[in-house]
């Protein structure tokens, strides 16, 4: 079956500041679920100027304790892989991430874009689509997808709040129209 969550946000800050804050967002005391983030690959294409990064995030297992009675869900942490392509000339960054844990039972993928806003070139638009589908858990598929959908929505909103806080701390008040 699967669940999809779409998010759109306009940050009233320039693209460069938003991307810099995004890359420094975790770990953060506002979200203790993210334990660590490590860059495992980074390279710049000399001809296009595009910067490619691959990062691995280690997060606490947030599956409710009652569901962890199922042995496959009883792990202390979850790993996520994030790849990003930053194009400074065109002022956009594409991001793809997916879960490396439970791949035989679940698929969690997110695709995101930061880009210069059409409303104002000093603002940055963020668009994200997350999709989770769970298979092989029998009657638990629906329960786990429902939990995952709620967690994805709440996580996206928390991520936006963290970004707004970081931007305000590092750059001051948002830019007006």
């Amino acid at each position: 079956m699967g669940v999809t969550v779409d998010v759109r946000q306009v940050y009233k800050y320039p693209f460069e500041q938003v991307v810099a804050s995004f890359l420094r967002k975790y770990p953060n005391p506002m979200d203790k679920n993210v334990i660590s983030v490590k860059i495992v690959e980074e390279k710049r294409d000399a001809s296009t100027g595009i910067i490619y990064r691959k990062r691995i995030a280690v997060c606490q297992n947030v599956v409710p304790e009652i569901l962890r009675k199922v042995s496959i869900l009883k792990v202390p942490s979850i790993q996520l892989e994030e790849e990003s392509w930053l194009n400074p000339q065109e002022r956009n960054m594409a991001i793809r991430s997916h879960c490396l844990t439970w791949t035989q039972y679940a698929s969690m993928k997110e695709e995101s874009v930061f880009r210069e806003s059409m409303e104002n070139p000093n603002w940055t638009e963020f668009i994200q689509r997350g999709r989770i589908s769970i298979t092989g858990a029998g009657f638990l598929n629906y329960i786990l997808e429902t939990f995952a959908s709620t967690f994805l929505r709440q996580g996206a909103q928390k991520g936006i709040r963290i970004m707004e806080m970081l931007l305000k701390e590092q750059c001051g008040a948002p830019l007006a129209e």
Side-chain angles (χ1 to χ4, degrees):
M1 187 161 155
V3 180
T4 301
V5 175
D6 291 317
V7 176
R8 182 183 178 278
Q9 174 73 16
V10 174
Y11 295 103
K12 294 184 178 182
Y13 294 89
F15 172 80
E16 294 76 14
Q17 292 175 340
V18 172
V19 167
S21 290
F22 172 79
L23 293 172
R24 290 191 303 261
K25 184 165 79 167
Y26 296 116
N28 183 304
M30 283 183 67
D31 190 347
K32 295 185 185 340
N33 291 329
V34 180
I35 299 165
S36 66
V37 177
K38 181 180 177 185
I39 297 173
V40 294
E41 185 178 352
E42 184 170 2
K43 57 188 174 187
R44 179 186 197 105
D45 184 303
S47 63
T48 64
I50 293 174
I51 301 166
Y52 169 80
R53 278 186 195 88
K54 184 187 288 188
R55 305 191 302 174
I56 302 292
V58 177
C59 304
Q60 289 182 6
N61 183 352
V62 295
V63 171
E65 203 60 45
I66 187 95
L67 295 176
R68 289 196 215 177
K69 304 267 186 250
V70 178
S71 63
I72 60 166
L73 301 177
K74 200 181 284 188
V75 297
S77 61
I78 298 165
Q79 287 195 353
L80 304 171
E81 179 182 83
E82 173 194 271
E83 293 178 284
S84 64
W85 295 264
L86 170 61
N87 187 330
Q89 284 76 31
E90 293 187 14
R91 299 182 84 207
N92 68 53
M93 183 165 79
I95 305 156
R96 278 198 322 237
S97 57
H98 65 275
C99 187
L100 298 173
T101 309
W102 301 317
T103 55
Q104 68 273 37
Y105 302 104
S107 169
M108 190 288 293
K109 295 180 180 180
E110 286 182 347
E111 292 187 1
S112 310
V113 174
F114 286 99
R115 64 183 179 207
E116 184 180 293
S117 171
M118 302 291 251
E119 295 175 59
N120 183 327
N122 291 315
W123 296 352
T124 305
E125 183 177 24
F126 171 66
I127 300 168
Q128 182 178 66
R129 170 166 275 186
R131 178 149 178 79
I132 295 177
S133 59
I134 298 173
T135 58
F139 71 95
L140 287 178
N141 285 4
Y142 177 75
I143 294 167
L144 290 169
E145 283 181 353
T146 301
F147 167 76
S149 170
T150 301
F151 182 76
L152 208 61
R153 281 183 220 291
Q154 290 173 348
Q157 293 307 314
K158 185 189 281 185
I160 288 169
R161 285 194 306 274
I162 291 170
M163 284 289 293
E164 291 282 4
M165 182 207 68
L166 289 174
L167 286 161
K168 200 170 204 175
E169 280 179 4
Q170 295 165 3
C171 310
L175 298 171
E177 312 259 344

